[in-house]
Amino acid sequence: MSRKEPLAAKQMRMSYLFVFGYVLFLAAFGVAPTVYALYLSVMSGSGKFVWFRNFNRVRHDFRFMPDVIHVGTFVLIWLVALLVLVTVLAIIVHSLGQRWLSPSVRFIYYIPGAVAGASSVVLWLFVLNPTVSPVSGVLHAFGLKTFVQTISPAHLPVIFAIIAFWSGAGGWIVVMYGALNSIPSEIMEAARVDGAGAVRTALHIQLPMMRKWISYMAVISLAAGTQLFVEPTVLSQASQGVVPIDYSLNQLAYQYAFKQTDNNGAAAIAVMLLVVCVVLSAFFVIKGGLFERD
Amino acid sequence: MTYDGGANGSGSFQTKITADDQAGSGWPDVVWSTQNNDASWASQGKTPFAAPLNKGYFEQSFLDGFTPGALAPVTINGTVYGLRNDLAATVTWYDTSLMTKFGYTPPKKWEDYLALGQKVAKEHPGYIVGDVGDPWAPEVYFWGAKAPMNTVTGTTGFSANAADPKSVQMATLLDTLIKAGSISQDSVFGADFIKKYTGKVLMLPGPVWYSGALFQNNKSLNSKAGTIDPGLPLSWSGDTPAAGNVGGGTWFVSQHSKNLAAAKTFMEFVTSADDYQVDLAPGLPAYKSAGDKWLAKQATSNFFTPDFASNISTAAGQVWTGWGYPNFSQEAVWAKAVTPGLAAGKSLVSLLPSWQKALDNQATVNGYTVN
């Protein structure tokens, strides 16, 4: 008589199988390049160990600090907008009483997310050009008469934040909606019985219970935001260089690697981005209790 | 292989070759570039991309067939690394019918050009004498004005001098006419430019290839036959005239190519054969015999005024040699450092120091010693 395997062990084996594919790709396209970048960042072009010389060189590049400010401003505007607006919108959508309304609104929110990456930026080129824009009235109201005026350096962080919000927020609203659904109905019921209105329920029940999801959104968006690349690159081509090809840190790393043929400098920028991202992510993970078990 | 030909076209070409260098394979046999500063990097490095062409690859007699000076942008320390496809000297385009109608005489000097720009702004508002809305504006106006903003010495020395009297004089001239309204800030390839200025371009300093790109083009300015004249390059009072240059394609052969013989046949055909350069090419061929035939052919079409051929040949020989070909894009620096300021209403004179600073910075990170 063959002995039956305990259920737990069987589940264990299955779970290894499930994560196997992910671990493989993580190692090949995540961990290995990171280790290689760490290695390159402390070596010279001729393969000598040079401590932090690459970091110092890159830090003193005239484009570095402006790019830090560009990316920092963009991420700040975008992250705040994302965290606040997505949460508020998700709660509002969740509270919609009409049966058909809530799914339709969620669907509409989600549509822009289906227009991927560079193609969504191309769409925005038309929106931002006062000559052909469907919202030229809005642009004129801000005193913007030409494309070059619209994409002037001071406007760019806001423009990139709007583009990113437009294409990314819908997906997050759907995720947050799911998070709101996972709040047990007894708790919501109890709140209602105790006389809590929509606002008090949101502040004292829904928000605290969505904490993990919100910090998850922050971590993922932070990683995406600091890697700003496609949007300025497409805008740069469309504007004949008025939006520079070295607007963001990722673009600067690209310039280092492929224009100045300096892979070590590029690696140094990548490592700096990684460190900043890890530190900020750790903040959100700890604050949001992302790794706590329920 | 494709890459974009915009302000950063040369950078894009280089990034792709660098990626091939990293991979150790994948280089294209032959490359066409819309920029003319690519030899500066394609000839350098441990294994330069561009094959030297005058060290036994092409016969000297073939290379001598190019218009004098045409190969200067692709020649580094006496070695020719590429072939020029077409010449792109700047001329002073003007509309003879408007000149006659308004009773004006086409200027020969920048000072007269300034006076005419002010006059037309007053007497016929809405008409223009120039445009600075594209990144090649510095190559039209500052190169043509002999302003030393792009001086390359040897392979590693760079300097830009925004305080030079010629730089300041040209910036002041442009400021005056932008303010007066007779120099436009729209890109000549934008919808706005065509909408506002069709039939209203009195003058337009610009490259030779504006002929087919703007004037003889029913999707652009669509000028009337016989009205457009490529006026000779202008000069400052008491100085000799000088032309600028905007692009002009170049051809490169890869050092890594396994098909060098076929590449040679192709390069000879594509730069010098009448079947292509005379019959089909949209711009002035750099190969002298093809160029002469091309000009003669343009003259027989009677679209441009009779002095088309002679003026364009003259301009091709007047390109000022004080403007160099560094390995970064002068146009990209202008677009980044100057265009947004101009659009916001700042004066060019006030932007000159930041333009110079941006050029110096760009030169430094690209390995130049800035003097």
Side-chain angles (χ1 to χ4, degrees):
Chain A
M1 199 176 86
S2 67
R3 202 158 58 88
K4 255 196 160 181
E5 231 175 335
L7 192 65
K10 213 173 182 180
Q11 279 182 339
M12 202 66 154
R13 275 230 311 258
M14 274 318 273
S15 62
Y16 281 133
L17 192 69
F18 279 135
V19 295
F20 168 74
Y22 174 75
V23 170
L24 196 71
F25 282 100
L26 180 73
F29 300 112
V31 177
T34 308
V35 172
Y36 188 48
L38 279 168
Y39 166 77
L40 280 182
S41 69
V42 290
M43 304 300 276
S44 74
S46 50
K48 264 197 278 217
F49 182 71
V50 290
W51 291 99
F52 296 109
R53 202 181 298 163
N54 291 320
F55 292 89
N56 273 325
R57 194 160 43 85
V58 169
R59 210 162 46 81
H60 289 107
D61 187 303
F62 76 103
R63 298 165 292 188
F64 184 75
M65 272 327 280
D67 285 7
V68 169
I69 294 167
H70 294 157
V71 175
T73 323
F74 157 71
V75 169
L76 188 71
I77 296 172
W78 181 47
L79 222 50
V80 170
L82 201 65
L83 294 185
V84 173
L85 291 176
V86 164
T87 312
V88 169
L89 284 172
I91 291 176
I92 291 174
V93 173
H94 192 255
S95 68
L96 288 174
Q98 295 284 352
R99 268 195 156 272
W100 57 272
L101 192 59
S102 172
S104 328
V105 171
R106 269 179 287 150
F107 179 67
I108 291 168
Y109 280 151
Y110 191 72
I111 291 175
V115 186
S119 49
S120 84
V121 187
V122 173
L123 213 63
W124 273 92
L125 292 179
F126 290 97
V127 178
L128 295 172
N129 188 339
T131 320
V132 291
S133 177
V135 292
S136 54
V138 178
L139 296 173
H140 286 304
F142 283 103
L144 305 169
K145 289 187 204 70
T146 64
F147 183 49
V148 175
Q149 286 176 343
T150 314
I151 56 165
S152 73
H155 300 163
L156 287 175
V158 179
I159 288 174
F160 290 136
I162 294 174
I163 295 178
F165 185 84
W166 175 81
S167 54
W172 283 116
I173 292 175
V174 174
V175 171
M176 290 298 148
Y177 186 89
L180 286 166
N181 272 347
S182 72
I183 298 174
S185 53
E186 304 88 70
I187 298 182
M188 297 295 284
E189 201 66 39
R192 231 190 321 272
V193 171
D194 287 346
V199 177
R200 285 198 62 178
T201 314
L203 283 178
H204 296 289
I205 312 273
Q206 289 170 313
L207 268 185
M209 298 197 81
M210 285 165 80
R211 192 172 64 129
K212 276 187 192 178
W213 292 95
I214 294 172
S215 53
Y216 172 67
M217 175 166 73
V219 169
I220 299 283
S221 306
L222 185 74
T226 47
Q227 290 177 40
L228 184 68
F229 185 84
V230 173
E231 290 83 355
T233 305
V234 175
L235 263 186
S236 178
Q237 283 196 21
S239 66
Q240 296 190 331
V242 173
V243 175
I245 40 164
D246 41 34
Y247 181 81
S248 77
L249 287 167
N250 238 3
Q251 286 181 298
L252 184 60
Y254 183 78
Q255 290 297 313
Y256 260 88
F258 296 112
K259 169 76 189 154
Q260 293 158 235
T261 59
D262 178 355
N263 289 316
N264 306 91
I269 296 175
V271 169
M272 283 190 262
L273 265 177
L274 178 75
V275 169
V276 171
C277 238
V278 165
V279 169
L280 286 174
S281 296
F283 171 80
F284 283 116
V285 166
I286 293 165
K287 275 280 173 199
L290 211 55
F291 290 165
E292 288 166 17
R293 296 199 118 179
D294 285 322
Chain B
M1 182 183 84
T2 56
Y3 64 93
D4 59 287
N8 292 302
S10 61
S12 182
F13 172 20
Q14 186 184 1
T15 54
K16 297 215 172 176
I17 295 301
T18 311
D20 292 334
D21 287 343
Q22 287 277 314
S25 66
W27 297 281
D29 290 327
V30 170
V31 173
W32 148 270
S33 170
T34 57
Q35 308 279 319
N36 47 31
N37 63 346
D38 291 313
S40 59
W41 62 263
S43 64
Q44 305 296 314
K46 260 182 275 173
T47 48
F49 169 73
L53 303 181
N54 63 341
K55 308 281 181 202
Y57 187 61
F58 285 114
E59 287 78 34
Q60 194 56 41
S61 59
F62 169 73
L63 294 173
D64 289 342
F66 281 86
T67 302
L71 297 179
V74 286
T75 305
I76 310 280
N77 291 337
T79 305
V80 179
Y81 286 98
L83 297 182
R84 196 80 180 275
N85 180 74
D86 56 311
L87 299 178
T90 58
V91 291
T92 318
W93 294 101
Y94 65 89
D95 186 323
T96 53
S97 64
L98 287 176
M99 284 285 177
T100 319
K101 193 170 144 198
F102 296 162
Y104 297 156
T105 5
K108 299 243 182 309
K109 299 196 180 317
W110 284 114
E111 289 85 351
D112 301 336
Y113 173 81
L114 171 64
L116 184 72
Q118 288 172 300
K119 202 167 162 190
V120 75
K122 229 179 258 149
E123 295 175 2
H124 305 280
Y127 287 80
I128 53 167
V129 295
D131 184 280
V132 290
D134 291 293
W136 51 85
E139 290 156 341
V140 174
Y141 295 97
F142 288 87
W143 192 339
K146 298 190 188 178
M149 291 303 292
N150 196 20
T151 314
V152 177
T153 34
T155 44
T156 56
F158 177 87
S159 77
N161 186 359
D164 186 272
K166 281 177 174 142
S167 310
V168 179
Q169 228 175 328
M170 180 44 79
T172 314
L173 179 152
L174 292 172
D175 277 339
T176 312
L177 295 184
I178 289 170
K179 204 164 162 227
S182 54
I183 279 189
S184 152
Q185 287 192 51
D186 294 307
S187 162
V188 296
F189 291 120
D192 265 352
F193 181 81
I194 297 159
K195 204 163 74 186
K196 286 192 224 162
Y197 301 117
T198 297
K200 295 195 164 183
V201 177
L202 176 65
M203 295 187 73
L204 187 62
V208 166
W209 48 261
Y210 274 4
S211 58
L214 302 181
F215 299 111
Q216 195 176 5
N217 179 354
N218 58 15
K219 289 192 185 68
S220 183
L221 292 174
N222 197 20
S223 308
K224 272 198 221 71
T227 59
I228 301 299
D229 188 297
L232 289 171
L234 304 176
S235 67
W236 294 110
S237 223
D239 200 350
T240 51
N245 179 78
V246 184
T250 45
W251 292 96
F252 293 92
V253 177
S254 165
Q255 182 115 262
H256 312 283
S257 175
K258 293 189 176 66
N259 308 307
L260 285 171
K264 181 181 168 191
T265 314
F266 173 75
M267 293 273 276
E268 283 179 350
F269 169 79
V270 85
T271 54
S272 69
D274 291 355
D275 303 340
Y276 173 65
Q277 285 290 1
V278 179
D279 297 346
L280 300 171
L284 173 66
Y287 201 76
K288 184 80 169 73
S289 61
D292 290 344
K293 285 183 213 162
W294 185 88
L295 285 168
K297 186 186 129 197
Q298 301 295 318
T300 59
S301 80
N302 283 326
F303 183 84
F304 295 99
T305 50
D307 54 5
F308 182 85
S310 67
N311 281 8
I312 290 208
S313 294
T314 309
Q318 287 181 336
V319 175
W320 184 49
T321 51
W323 190 281
Y325 302 91
N327 67 9
F328 58 91
S329 168
Q330 168 80 233
E331 296 183 1
V333 176
W334 170 272
K336 174 182 174 177
V338 179
T339 307
L342 273 186
K346 286 188 196 150
S347 78
L348 194 46
V349 171
S350 74
L351 291 166
L352 279 178
S354 45
W355 182 27
Q356 176 176 339
K357 181 101 182 95
L359 283 169
D360 288 348
N361 281 335
Q362 199 66 35
T364 307
V365 295
N366 281 290
Y368 287 90
T369 312
V370 175
N371 314 308

